[in-house]
Amino acid sequence: MLQATQTNQSTAFVCPSLPENAFATDVLAGLSHTPKSLPSVWLYDQRGSELFEDITGLDEYYQTRTETALLGECAAAIADVIGPDAVVVEFGSGSSRKTPLLLDALVTPRAYVPVDIADDFLDDAVAALARRCPGIPMLPVRADFTRPFHLPPQLRNTQGPRLGFFPGSTIGNFAPAQAAAFLAHVGKMLGPRRRMVVGVDACKDPAVLLPAYDDARGVTAQFDLNVLVRINRELDGDLPLDAFRHEARFNAAASRIEMHLVAQRPFTATVLGRRFGFTAGESIHTENSYKYGKTEFRALAHSAGWDIERVWLDARARFAVYLLRPTGD
């Protein structure tokens, strides 16, 4: 019988596949490339995670409130499909704000496994959810879910269905080939009695999309710029924060939003003793958010061994929640 964990940092299962120097490796490599780029996962330290939570409450950021409403409508139908005694695994769990909608609908869920890279934020979120959903074992995992990782050892001998939960249109942060590889890996990890719930943002007018990534209050700009603060703090960097501005771009050919930190003047900065030159107008590409219609997402999921079982769309077809099943089921 699984036992509910005490929610402190020492109880989180630290995935051994997460390299201790991954942040430094990715930053040095990304700043050495032309064009410069950084993996978006490094935006989410404690402060970055807090700022992202602020973003989800902004008027311009329609995704969170739209998806939350959809999950409220479809959680019971998902529970009917998955059945009793499910283990829920959430990838990039963040605040786990939407998770109770699923846990409350499920019949006797066996465990909740939140996977996130931000230690303190993960601990706080799990503690809050444990108070909200007492009696459900919480098995947090500190890992970068964009890299291969393992589930907690407590699950090795458990039977029953497993439900992957990937809300927030985070699937859009992967390039399509990477998204397919992730979904394929998740399928193997969850096992034969699996389902997957994925939130997906649809492609729409850039006049709606761009403000969601460059809000009037500048919260998204703070979120983007925070990765430079983190580099300076953790990697002995001297990147001048006032030399960069946040910029959101719509790449129509790729059907994606891009976030960039654009240098406003030429300068040279140092990170871990290595020097990097910037020209005026040069950017660090920090995040992509791909947008998918149903046809495109069906093809992506099918290439990774999944089929669409159900889909729920909001009234304006701006956002979709997909329930996926293994191909051939």
Side-chain angles (χ1 to χ4, degrees):
M1 179 69 178
L2 294 176
Q3 300 295 318
T5 64
Q6 297 296 314
T7 53
N8 55 53
Q9 187 172 2
S10 64
T11 60
F13 173 57
V14 180
C15 179
S17 66
L18 179 63
E20 289 300 321
N21 64 347
F23 180 45
T25 299
D26 285 351
V27 168
L28 294 177
L31 295 183
S32 299
H33 290 166
T34 302
K36 295 178 171 64
S37 65
L38 293 173
S40 61
V41 66
W42 301 120
L43 296 169
Y44 295 90
D45 64 349
Q46 175 75 15
R47 180 57 179 156
S49 297
E50 292 169 351
L51 285 166
F52 183 73
E53 287 305 306
D54 291 342
I55 289 168
T56 64
L58 296 171
D59 290 342
E60 297 96 328
Y61 201 80
Y62 62 87
Q63 290 97 322
T64 297
R65 60 181 176 271
T66 304
E67 183 179 37
T68 301
L70 284 172
L71 286 168
E73 295 172 10
C74 68
I78 293 170
D80 285 344
V81 171
I82 196 69
D85 301 327
V87 171
V88 178
V89 182
E90 183 171 0
F91 304 94
S93 53
S95 68
S96 300
R97 187 193 306 174
K98 301 164 191 168
T99 313
L101 295 169
L102 275 183
L103 294 181
D104 288 347
L106 292 170
V107 178
T108 58
R110 290 289 305 276
Y112 170 60
V113 182
V115 183
D116 207 282
I117 200 169
D119 293 10
D120 293 340
F121 199 78
L122 175 64
D123 295 336
D124 293 344
V126 172
L129 189 60
R131 292 190 294 270
R132 171 67 176 75
C133 302
I136 299 177
M138 304 279 161
L139 303 174
V141 175
R142 184 179 74 84
D144 174 2
F145 69 87
T146 69
R147 306 172 191 258
F149 69 94
H150 304 290
L151 293 175
Q154 295 96 315
L155 298 178
R156 284 176 187 155
N157 297 318
T158 58
Q159 304 297 317
R162 293 186 179 181
L163 179 62
F165 187 36
F166 200 35
S169 198
T170 310
I171 192 72
N173 295 145
F174 294 98
Q178 295 170 328
F182 169 76
L183 289 174
H185 170 67
V186 164
K188 294 175 183 177
M189 177 188 298
L190 294 175
R193 296 184 61 189
R194 66 184 181 273
R195 290 293 191 277
M196 186 82 177
V197 174
V198 186
V200 179
D201 199 16
C203 195
K204 58 189 70 69
D205 189 337
V208 176
L209 283 172
L210 285 168
Y213 297 86
D214 193 6
D215 61 280
R217 288 173 48 194
V219 181
T220 312
Q222 294 178 55
F223 169 68
D224 204 9
L225 287 161
N226 179 68
V227 74
L228 304 181
V229 176
R230 182 178 185 183
I231 291 170
N232 287 348
R233 180 183 67 246
E234 297 183 23
L235 302 181
D236 194 25
D238 60 4
L239 291 158
L241 303 185
D242 62 355
F244 290 91
R245 65 174 174 83
H246 164 74
E247 183 178 295
R249 305 171 185 171
F250 180 61
N251 184 329
S255 190
R256 73 187 186 200
I257 289 285
E258 300 175 359
M259 294 204 322
H260 293 260
L261 292 169
V262 183
Q264 301 302 287
R265 54 179 171 80
F267 63 88
T268 299
T270 302
V271 178
L272 288 177
R274 289 180 54 178
R275 295 171 64 81
F276 300 95
F278 289 79
T279 58
E282 184 178 11
S283 78
I284 306 173
H285 188 169
T286 55
E287 186 175 71
N288 289 317
S289 185
Y290 285 82
K291 312 302 175 183
Y292 293 97
K294 184 177 178 180
T295 300
E296 291 78 19
F297 189 71
R298 183 191 301 276
L300 173 68
H302 189 76
S303 73
W306 297 93
D307 285 331
I308 296 174
E309 184 157 359
R310 293 282 301 275
V311 59
W312 293 267
L313 285 166
D314 71 291
R316 288 186 275 182
R318 298 185 304 178
F319 199 97
V321 171
Y322 291 89
L323 175 62
L324 304 181
R325 67 172 183 268
T327 299
D329 268 21

